[in-house]
Amino acid sequence: MSNRKIIAELTDQQEALIPEYREKWRSIENQVESINRAKAIETIKAAYSISSYSEPEILWYDNPFIAIQETTRIENFRSYLGRSVHTKFSKRVFDHVQHGLTQQLEYKFFIRLRNQTTHTEFPYYSTFDKPQPYYFHFSVINCLQDQLLSDLEKTCPQLEFSDILYFTDCMFRPAEWANWACLFDFCISVLALHHDKKKWTVIQQLIQNCGFLLQYENVCIACDRPSKLSFDAKNLLHADGEPALQFADGYGVYADHGKSPFNAR
């Protein structure tokens, strides 16, 4: 990497392309069509393989609430699923690609480019009284986790709190990587930075082909995308008097400007 050129600025033509990449990945992030299971299976297998894990059994559910309810009915479900591998997977795949790209960018330039691809306005100036809105969404998984904690405590009193966290803490929505994928895509496609092609392909496929995942050593639990997503002007999950996120079977998640009304966390 030391022999490669470190990029410290954009040309006017390159900078003009940033909105195109933001819109591309924002559109992918906001998909609400039901996932194609064949593509999702292929993607999950590739994700485990590229991060040096054995091919998992894949369990399918319409939404994470049903997934956790059903899975906890399996005898010795923790042994059956195995340990969560999401953190190691992220380090081996996502962090690897991120590190390789950022090493080819001058640090201050990287921060500037990150802000340009992430925030709705540039230059980026955020204050306590007037925070800068994000172009992408960051509140979906937190609101879902809070609602699940509340709903599962009510409907599954036999579960220990640690059992619920065993699921909610490792829940992964690949679409929430779209903000970084926008930056990665721009760096690879426009700036022609060197990268791990196989791992970058897996990152793209996860975002495009999967809904919610819970990655364990032996089993990967896969859930569909929501059929509805609603956000406020600051791109925070929000809806008045109705679910801001809802799955096709009706299970919904309430949110008030990016915060769960259940205050479970």
Side-chain angles (χ1 to χ4, degrees):
M1 192 70 72
S2 59
N3 295 326
R4 295 174 183 167
K5 180 180 179 180
I6 304 298
I7 297 177
E9 61 182 0
L10 297 177
T11 65
D12 291 342
Q13 292 83 357
Q14 289 171 334
E15 189 157 359
L17 292 172
I18 290 177
E20 176 184 326
Y21 282 84
R22 291 198 313 181
E23 187 54 37
K24 171 187 174 180
W25 285 99
R26 172 74 176 277
S27 177
I28 293 172
E29 179 189 37
N30 287 336
Q31 290 181 102
V32 291
E33 299 82 8
S34 183
I35 61 175
N36 180 312
R37 289 196 177 187
K39 289 183 178 180
I41 288 173
E42 183 179 350
T43 298
I44 292 168
K45 290 180 178 180
Y48 271 70
S49 177
I50 201 71
S51 53
S52 301
Y53 287 110
S54 299
E55 183 177 306
E57 178 183 355
I58 301 173
L59 301 180
W60 294 95
Y61 297 96
D62 291 335
N63 69 67
F65 179 61
I66 294 297
I68 297 171
Q69 282 188 317
E70 293 296 322
T71 306
T72 54
R73 294 192 178 105
I74 298 172
E75 187 175 359
N76 298 321
F77 64 85
R78 287 201 186 212
S79 297
Y80 171 68
L81 298 174
R83 292 177 297 179
S84 170
V85 299
H86 175 63
T87 298
K88 286 187 177 180
F89 163 76
S90 296
K91 289 180 179 178
R92 292 173 181 179
V93 179
F94 180 88
D95 291 356
H96 178 81
V97 172
Q98 180 189 49
H99 179 74
L101 293 174
T102 56
Q103 287 293 100
Q104 300 170 71
L105 303 174
E106 190 272 329
Y107 180 72
K108 289 183 178 179
F109 171 71
F110 161 68
I111 297 299
R112 172 189 170 92
L113 186 58
R114 172 71 174 142
N115 286 333
Q116 283 180 280
T117 55
T118 302
H119 297 280
T120 57
E121 298 176 7
F122 190 82
Y124 166 67
Y125 295 113
S126 183
T127 65
F128 179 80
D129 294 327
K130 189 179 180 181
Q132 173 72 59
Y134 289 105
Y135 190 77
F136 295 92
H137 311 309
F138 291 86
S139 57
V140 172
I141 196 71
N142 289 336
C143 289
L144 174 58
Q145 288 171 329
D146 285 350
Q147 177 112 20
L148 287 170
L149 283 168
S150 176
D151 291 346
L152 288 166
E153 284 186 308
K154 294 175 183 176
T155 61
C156 302
Q158 77 281 5
L159 289 180
E160 298 289 339
F161 187 67
S162 61
D163 288 331
I164 299 176
L165 293 180
Y166 172 74
F167 292 97
T168 58
D169 280 359
C170 77
M171 190 173 299
F172 168 44
R173 181 179 179 243
E176 294 200 353
W177 272 356
N179 64 310
W180 278 102
C182 174
L183 176 62
F184 294 173
D185 196 4
F186 183 85
C187 289
I188 291 166
S189 302
V190 177
L191 303 183
L193 299 190
H194 297 277
H195 62 287
D196 187 313
K197 294 181 180 179
K198 291 183 178 179
K199 291 183 178 181
W200 169 230
T201 296
V202 164
I203 290 171
Q204 293 177 87
Q205 291 175 341
L206 282 167
I207 297 169
Q208 295 169 339
N209 298 332
C210 297
F212 292 88
L213 299 177
L214 292 89
Q215 298 170 301
Y216 300 97
E217 287 177 303
N218 307 321
V219 177
C220 182
I221 299 174
C223 302
D224 208 347
R225 292 190 190 101
S227 58
K228 170 194 172 184
L229 285 168
S230 176
F231 301 93
D232 64 13
K234 295 181 179 179
N235 289 321
L236 298 172
L237 194 67
H238 174 78
D240 292 320
E242 62 183 18
L245 180 158
Q246 194 162 42
F247 293 89
D249 65 357
Y251 182 73
V253 173
Y254 290 84
D256 181 17
H257 300 290
K259 296 182 180 179
S260 169
F262 298 98
N263 294 317
R265 293 169 75 86

